[in-house]
């Protein structure tokens, strides 16, 4: 049963109030000294916590003090030690994004949910898509496109009519956002080992931005995306409420 807990919270008053109450009941240590980190907020804050603590190799248990809370457990002040001891661990790998902007500067970022490309002007984006160095789609005219992990497949990917992926599947979802040409192209399922490259066509006339879990790069020329197996995020869930169950349940709501 873990005894050294680091409580982290978003800036939302309800999250800060919860943090104070939990610290009063269970104490608090710095994340580097913790056996487990408890993150209080919504899914966005959970993603920020996972990114900021990935070097610690400490599991993160989220409690929902935000809105949707897909990555979070229900909030309760009582029986936390017992819940942490019984929690089930899911391990997920993020995506790595390498993007070059129009000025020739290269940017890198990690994304737990998805890397998305979005038009940044009034005209639709024009993209070329290559997979593992082979051109697969010479022109996609669209509002954007994204590559999503199984953990992120119920987020923006699902809103863009992409597939929900089982957490244990070694695949990535490549999904178009409001595709105009090809009119009926919905995307593709790719092996987890795939390297996806987007080249922006007519970038001066049709500017495109790239976003990796809210790290945004404007005026991009190209983006390469692949899974990053050397980085593992450890997420804790109450028994019976892990990502696998949530991904299945989401398809029947």
């Amino acid at each position: 049963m873990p005894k050294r807990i680091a409580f982290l919270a978003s800036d939302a008053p309800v999250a800060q109030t919860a943090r104070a109450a939990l610290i009063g009941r269970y104490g608090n240590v710095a994340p580097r000294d913790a056996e487990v980190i408890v993150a209080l907020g919504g899914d966005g804050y959970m993603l920020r916590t996972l990114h900021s603590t990935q070097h610690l190799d400490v599991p993160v248990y989220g409690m929902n003090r935000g809105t949707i809370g897909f990555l979070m457990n229900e909030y309760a002040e009582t029986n936390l030690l017992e819940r942490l001891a019984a929690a089930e661990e899911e391990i997920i790998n993020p995506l790595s994004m390498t993007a070059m902007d129009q000025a020739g500067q290269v940017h890198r970022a990690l994304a737990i949910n998805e890397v998305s490309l979005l038009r940044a002007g009034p005209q639709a984006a024009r993209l070329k898509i290559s997979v593992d160095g082979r051109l697969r789609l010479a022109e996609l005219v669209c509002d954007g496109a994204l590559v999503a992990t199984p953990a992120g497949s119920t987020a923006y990917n699902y809103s863009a009519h992409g597939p929900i992926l089982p957490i244990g599947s070694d695949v990535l979802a490549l999904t178009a956002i409001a595709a105009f040409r090809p009119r009926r192209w919905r995307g593709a399922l790719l092996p987890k080992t795939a390297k996806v490259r987007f080249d922006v066509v007519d970038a001066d006339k049709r500017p495109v931005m790239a976003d990796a879990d809210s790290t945004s790069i404007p005026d991009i020329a190209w983006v390469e995306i692949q899974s990053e197996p050397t980085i593992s995020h450890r997420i804790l869930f109450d028994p019976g409420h892990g990502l696998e169950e949530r991904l299945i349940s989401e398809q029947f709501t």
Side-chain angles (χ1 to χ4, degrees):
M1 187 174 295
K3 296 181 180 178
R4 301 191 309 275
I5 305 172
F7 291 99
L8 305 179
S10 72
D11 292 333
V14 65
Q16 290 293 322
T17 298
R19 180 175 185 267
L22 291 167
I23 288 175
R25 185 183 289 260
Y26 301 102
N28 188 51
V29 300
R32 65 178 179 275
D33 299 321
E35 296 173 88
V36 62
I37 294 169
V38 173
L40 302 161
D43 284 337
Y45 185 72
M46 183 63 160
L47 293 177
R48 291 195 295 274
T49 301
L50 291 171
H51 282 299
S52 65
T53 63
Q54 69 184 32
H55 62 291
L56 297 177
D57 192 30
V58 176
V60 179
Y61 179 89
M63 285 204 286
N64 191 17
R65 294 285 82 188
T67 50
I68 297 175
F70 184 78
L71 296 173
M72 316 300 277
N73 300 284
E74 291 185 4
Y75 175 77
E77 292 181 18
T78 59
N79 301 321
L80 178 59
L81 297 182
E82 291 77 9
R83 291 175 71 184
L84 292 175
E88 300 171 347
E89 182 174 295
E90 301 274 7
I91 297 178
I92 60 175
N93 303 116
L95 298 171
S96 66
M97 176 188 77
T98 303
M100 190 178 80
D101 63 26
Q102 293 296 316
Q105 184 175 355
V106 175
H107 307 263
R108 292 180 173 84
L110 296 172
I112 296 168
N113 273 359
E114 76 278 319
V115 174
S116 56
L117 283 75
L118 303 166
R119 76 176 193 182
Q123 292 184 297
R126 292 179 64 196
L127 306 173
K128 290 194 301 183
I129 303 176
S130 301
V131 179
D132 292 330
R134 181 177 176 180
L135 181 64
R136 290 293 185 178
L137 196 58
E139 182 180 73
L140 173 64
V141 181
C142 57
D143 279 355
L146 61 85
V147 176
T149 65
S153 63
T154 60
Y156 194 6
N157 172 71
Y158 193 39
S159 297
H161 306 291
I164 291 180
L165 307 177
I167 194 64
S169 61
D170 289 330
V171 296
L172 302 173
L174 169 56
T175 301
I177 302 170
F180 180 69
R181 290 287 187 274
R183 177 77 70 176
R184 298 184 182 278
W185 192 73
R186 292 292 186 179
L189 293 177
L190 303 174
K192 187 177 180 180
T193 56
K195 177 184 286 187
V196 181
R197 178 181 171 110
F198 295 96
D199 287 279
V200 181
V201 181
D202 294 336
D204 292 338
K205 182 180 179 181
R206 302 168 182 266
V208 173
M209 62 170 288
D211 186 277
D213 281 358
S214 299
T215 297
S216 299
I217 312 298
D219 297 323
I220 61 167
W222 55 262
V223 175
E224 290 184 343
I225 305 160
Q226 62 188 107
S227 182
E228 184 49 77
T230 63
I231 298 176
S232 297
H233 296 287
R234 302 167 60 192
I235 309 178
L236 299 177
F237 293 98
D238 292 331
H241 297 278
L243 277 179
E244 188 74 53
E245 171 60 26
R246 294 173 189 224
L247 290 170
I248 294 173
S249 296
E250 191 72 16
Q251 298 174 81
F252 293 91
T253 59

